Amino acid sequence: MLEYLSKIQGQLPQGVKTQIGPDATSIGWIYQYALVDKTGHEDLSQLRSLQDWNLRYQLQSLPGVAEVASVGGFVKQVQVVVNPSKLAEQRRLDTAGGRCRDQRQ
């Protein structure tokens, strides 16, 4: 990566400086931990969500922590399926503030 960056440095606009972030491979890891639920109440997606939405931010707020890399578990996904006919029923939608409101009321 360093070789590639040095090759393109001359093609970048004046004043632009390149920088590489922290090493995200296990070679650069200082500390590893595993979330384990010995009770069996939490599945792998719940443990991963705990890691991604709680522990990661708490650990990153500590002095000297450059990166918290998550590995393993199941990443929770949310899919929104739009029903085109129901969407077409709506006359005019007000999306101010991130909310949809039917103007017929």
Side-chain angles (χ1 to χ4, degrees):
M1 185 54 124
L2 286 172
E3 292 174 9
Y4 178 75
L5 287 175
S6 66
K7 287 180 185 177
I8 66 163
Q9 191 68 40
Q11 301 170 11
L12 297 174
Q14 186 176 1
V16 172
K17 296 180 181 178
T18 58
Q19 181 178 6
I20 293 183
D23 187 1
T25 68
S26 60
I27 295 170
W29 291 354
I30 301 299
Y31 182 76
Q32 290 184 27
Y33 63 94
L35 298 180
V36 178
D37 177 23
K38 294 181 181 180
T39 67
H41 292 130
E42 308 288 333
D43 63 24
L44 291 176
S45 67
Q46 291 167 318
L47 292 174
R48 178 63 186 258
S49 292
L50 174 65
Q51 162 64 28
D52 289 345
W53 299 106
N54 295 70
L55 294 175
R56 165 183 279 157
Y57 298 112
Q58 293 173 11
L59 291 171
Q60 283 179 330
S61 70
L62 297 172
V65 174
E67 180 182 19
V68 177
S70 298
V71 178
F74 295 114
V75 179
K76 192 175 201 176
Q77 296 182 4
V78 177
Q79 296 182 359
V80 177
V81 179
V82 177
N83 184 329
S85 18
K86 285 190 178 183
L87 189 61
E89 287 175 10
Q90 304 297 317
R91 290 185 188 165
R92 186 174 147 212
L93 296 177
D94 175 17
T95 58
R99 294 177 290 189
C100 291
R101 183 177 55 186
D102 188 349
Q103 294 297 317
R104 294 180 285 183
Q105 300 172 353

